[in-house]
Amino acid sequence: MKKLILLISILFISIEITYGQQVTIGTQIWSNTNLDVTTYRDGTPIPQVTDPTQWANLTTGAWCYYNNNPANNAIYGKLYNWYAVAGIYDAASAANPSLRKQLAPQGWYVPSDAEWSTLINYLDPNANGGETIPNIAGGKMKSTGTIQAGTGFWQEPNTAATNESGFTGLPAGYRVSGGSFGTIFDYGNWWSSSETNTSDAWNRYLNYNGGTAGRNNTNKANGSSVRCLKDISLSNISLVSGSGNKSTLYPGWTMNNGNYDYPMTTTDGINYTISNIFLTGATNQIGGISADYWVKFRQDNNWTTNWGSTAFPSGVGTQGGANINVTIPGNYSVSLNIQTGAYTFTLLTPAPSISIIGANIGTAWNTDVTLSQTDGYLYYLPAYNLPAGQLKFRQNNSWLTNWGGTTFPTGDGIPNGSNILASPAGVYDINFFKGPTGASYNFSTTLGIDDQNIKTIKIYPNPASTHINIDFNNETDLNGGTIKFINSLGQEVFTRPITLSGTQTSMQLNTWGGTGMYFVQIINPQGQVMYIKKIIIQ
């Protein structure tokens, strides 16, 4: 399994705003209760300040209950000064904005003045972002009912309140910069993240005796409620594969830092999807050839933000989580919610079967012998007693898709080509590669029992980039043999003799070939293929 190094520590919190619910209004998603947190996003405490003189002198973030009464918290939430909204928690962060914290929970943020205007203009196109008074946006934002009637939390008459937007605005009042409190039940006030000067910032308000949504330039030391917007920015999210899955095999995959990303699409910045993508299986064993395959989700084509899990076909990904192993190769639709980490792989069609059929196999030209596979590209049939004669490969036991060839024991699979003449008869490991741009096959003579120690040959690193090392494990009888590189289409691309002066040899790769998948064949002096290893060059 490929090991991943998380470049920075990120806490992925599966959270839908803990202090309330959410509502979609136009193109925005708003929280519909007031913020009620006592720490910044990273867990840094926000101090509760009750003393009015201390509150008046603050230049860093703080919160309080209205009238310092915890009973007001359950309905109205907390009041924050603007310094908390800005994430200013000490003198250094006051001087340097790059040091500031985030007040809103993961996946949310405090809206700017312009984003408040977007909301108000959606509810009343003539509101001019709250500059035009009166307007009808406020009535659509206020919760309904009155305290006197026992049906709500506003003072009578709660004019024009319909709450048709679902914003559910509440009259939490405010704390003035001098530290006193006022207007609970009469006004609701909410900060924006936008400051106007060193002492003031923009604030929005609703009131009990009108249907207007208004806008104020307010002292930063005041205490107001906070509402949050969900972050639906269109992040660059991709389904990423390890270097076992190469772009040369899987069209559409883009190489980024040694890994391969397939871009996902979104309409809301939260739910990302891919439709009808072919995914290989978790591992494959092909006559001694092995490779690991895995997928994960990541942002911006790097590992800073990524999601993984051990669950398949559905689960909840966590930051820096495990590689996701696709256990069934085939075409999938894939979805990911970046807020919750929930993902689903929906199998549309499994990988096709591949078989051999021939004149001397079972009932002539009527018996399919199915090859095994775990990744949908490489198929294998180990130690098969193959009679001499003509044969072909075909898909799903049907002649609609079949491959022939003009050479044996290796060659290119030619669609609807001539029969492959297998000769001589023998026990063979049969390998078939079905790629998007072509097919190839290989019939390797099965090793005798006295030759099994040959399989202790090691080829590394894999994947490789500039060179590979081959450790022959003292197999001196291979001296005078050949090392061959066969590409994914079955074509011989490089050959060199085996000349051992020790147990190892090293080969440079960047002088002859491109990136992709290759078979390395170790052939003894008698011309027998003694060992095959699949390697990836990147």
Side-chain angles (χ1 to χ4, degrees):
M1 179 64 63
K2 185 177 178 70
K3 302 296 183 185
L4 302 177
I5 300 174
L6 191 60
L7 301 181
I8 62 174
S9 177
I10 295 176
L11 175 64
F12 180 78
I13 306 173
S14 179
I15 186 168
E16 293 293 331
I17 229 163
T18 58
Y19 51 89
Q21 302 300 315
Q22 63 187 43
V23 60
T24 300
I25 307 174
T27 59
Q28 298 172 313
I29 300 176
W30 288 83
S31 61
N32 64 359
T33 56
N34 292 340
L35 188 66
D36 180 17
V37 297
T38 59
T39 67
Y40 294 103
R41 183 182 298 174
D42 68 353
T44 301
I46 307 169
Q48 178 186 7
V49 177
T50 58
D51 181 77
T53 301
Q54 183 182 358
W55 181 276
N57 292 320
L58 285 170
T59 56
T60 55
W63 67 269
C64 63
Y65 302 116
Y66 183 88
N67 213 26
N68 291 323
N69 184 354
N72 289 315
N73 187 72
I75 296 172
Y76 299 110
K78 294 176 173 60
L79 302 177
Y80 301 86
N81 63 15
W82 187 85
Y83 305 111
V85 169
I88 299 172
Y89 67 100
D90 60 8
S93 59
N96 185 353
S98 68
L99 300 177
R100 295 176 184 178
K101 307 291 186 180
Q102 295 295 323
L103 177 63
Q106 180 77 26
W108 298 81
Y109 64 95
V110 179
S112 67
D113 181 63
E115 287 168 319
W116 275 105
S117 293
T118 297
L119 168 67
I120 292 168
N121 287 336
Y122 176 78
L123 298 175
D124 182 355
N126 299 313
N128 192 26
E131 297 275 11
T132 300
I133 296 176
N135 59 60
I136 63 172
K140 297 177 180 180
M141 294 169 64
K142 289 193 295 180
S143 65
T144 58
T146 66
I147 296 172
Q148 289 80 358
T151 57
F153 304 103
W154 287 86
Q155 183 72 263
E156 287 184 342
N158 198 14
T159 303
T162 65
N163 197 31
E164 64 182 81
S165 69
F167 183 83
T168 315
L170 296 167
Y174 73 105
R175 189 173 194 175
V176 298
S177 57
S180 61
F181 297 88
T183 71
I184 193 170
F185 313 135
D186 294 343
Y187 279 79
N189 302 272
W190 294 272
W191 282 118
S192 79
S193 61
S194 304
E195 58 185 329
T196 58
N197 53 52
T198 56
S199 61
D200 300 317
W202 289 115
N203 187 288
R204 300 296 173 136
Y205 70 87
L206 306 175
N207 71 89
Y208 75 102
N209 63 354
T212 288
R215 179 175 182 253
N216 279 329
N217 189 24
T218 303
N219 192 300
K220 293 177 181 178
N222 282 1
S224 291
S225 301
V226 172
R227 289 292 180 94
C228 293
L229 269 177
K230 181 167 279 190
D231 186 358
I232 57 173
S233 57
L234 302 184
S235 300
N236 174 17
I237 304 296
S238 62
L239 182 68
V240 59
S241 163
S243 54
N245 282 336
K246 298 296 288 186
S247 58
T248 53
L249 304 184
Y250 316 106
W253 293 82
T254 303
M255 184 175 180
N256 295 289
N257 301 320
N259 296 278
Y260 296 84
D261 294 89
Y262 195 95
M264 302 182 77
T265 60
T266 183
T267 58
D268 61 8
I270 300 169
N271 297 289
Y272 288 76
T273 60
I274 296 175
S275 297
N276 201 26
I277 179 173
F278 188 85
L279 299 176
T280 67
T283 60
N284 73 70
Q285 298 290 331
I286 306 170
I289 303 164
S290 63
D292 287 331
Y293 294 90
W294 51 267
V295 295
K296 293 187 79 173
F297 302 96
R298 68 177 182 174
Q299 182 174 313
D300 299 328
N301 299 338
N302 64 63
W303 292 114
T304 302
T305 302
N306 71 88
W307 296 262
S309 170
T310 58
F312 183 85
S314 62
V316 177
T318 57
Q319 283 297 322
N323 299 329
I324 302 169
N325 287 328
V326 179
T327 57
I328 302 173
N331 287 77
Y332 286 85
S333 288
V334 185
S335 65
L336 170 70
N337 183 306
I338 65 172
Q339 292 293 335
T340 65
Y343 62 84
T344 301
F345 291 75
T346 302
L347 181 63
L348 303 177
T349 54
S353 68
I354 299 294
S355 61
I356 56 170
I357 187 170
N360 295 327
I361 297 175
T363 303
W365 297 106
N366 199 34
T367 301
D368 285 271
V369 178
T370 302
L371 281 66
S372 299
Q373 58 89 26
T374 56
D375 69 359
Y377 285 96
L378 291 159
Y379 294 76
Y380 61 97
L381 182 61
Y384 181 70
N385 192 353
L386 182 71
Q390 296 182 344
L391 60 83
K392 298 188 80 171
F393 294 89
R394 67 177 184 172
Q395 180 171 297
N396 294 335
N397 298 342
S398 168
W399 289 112
L400 292 176
T401 304
N402 71 87
W403 297 266
T406 58
T407 58
F408 183 87
T410 63
D412 295 335
I414 302 171
N416 299 310
S418 58
N419 298 335
I420 301 167
L421 179 59
S423 181
V427 178
Y428 291 90
D429 289 334
I430 303 173
N431 300 317
F432 183 82
F433 173 79
K434 175 184 176 294
T437 59
S440 61
Y441 56 85
N442 177 273
F443 293 76
S444 299
T445 305
T446 299
L447 302 177
I449 189 146
D450 293 335
D451 297 317
Q452 289 301 314
N453 62 332
I454 295 296
K455 293 204 173 188
T456 61
I457 291 175
K458 297 178 181 179
I459 300 178
Y460 62 93
N462 188 13
S465 56
T466 60
H467 72 283
I468 60 170
N469 301 309
I470 304 177
D471 186 343
F472 286 91
N473 195 32
N474 295 314
E475 297 297 336
T476 56
D477 59 329
L478 292 175
N479 249 325
T482 306
I483 302 170
K484 286 186 178 181
F485 282 76
I486 309 295
N487 67 15
S488 60
L489 298 180
Q491 300 164 333
E492 183 179 308
V493 295
F494 183 78
T495 300
R496 64 169 280 183
I498 300 174
T499 305
L500 294 177
S501 57
T503 62
Q504 292 186 348
T505 186
S506 182
M507 296 180 59
Q508 295 298 313
L509 302 175
N510 52 4
T511 59
W512 57 267
T515 61
M517 184 193 75
Y518 295 85
F519 293 99
V520 181
Q521 293 183 347
I522 306 298
I523 302 170
N524 68 14
Q526 292 73 43
Q528 295 174 303
V529 177
M530 306 302 292
Y531 181 67
I532 301 176
K533 176 72 174 179
K534 187 181 78 174
I535 69 166
I536 300 298
I537 300 177
Q538 60 185 24

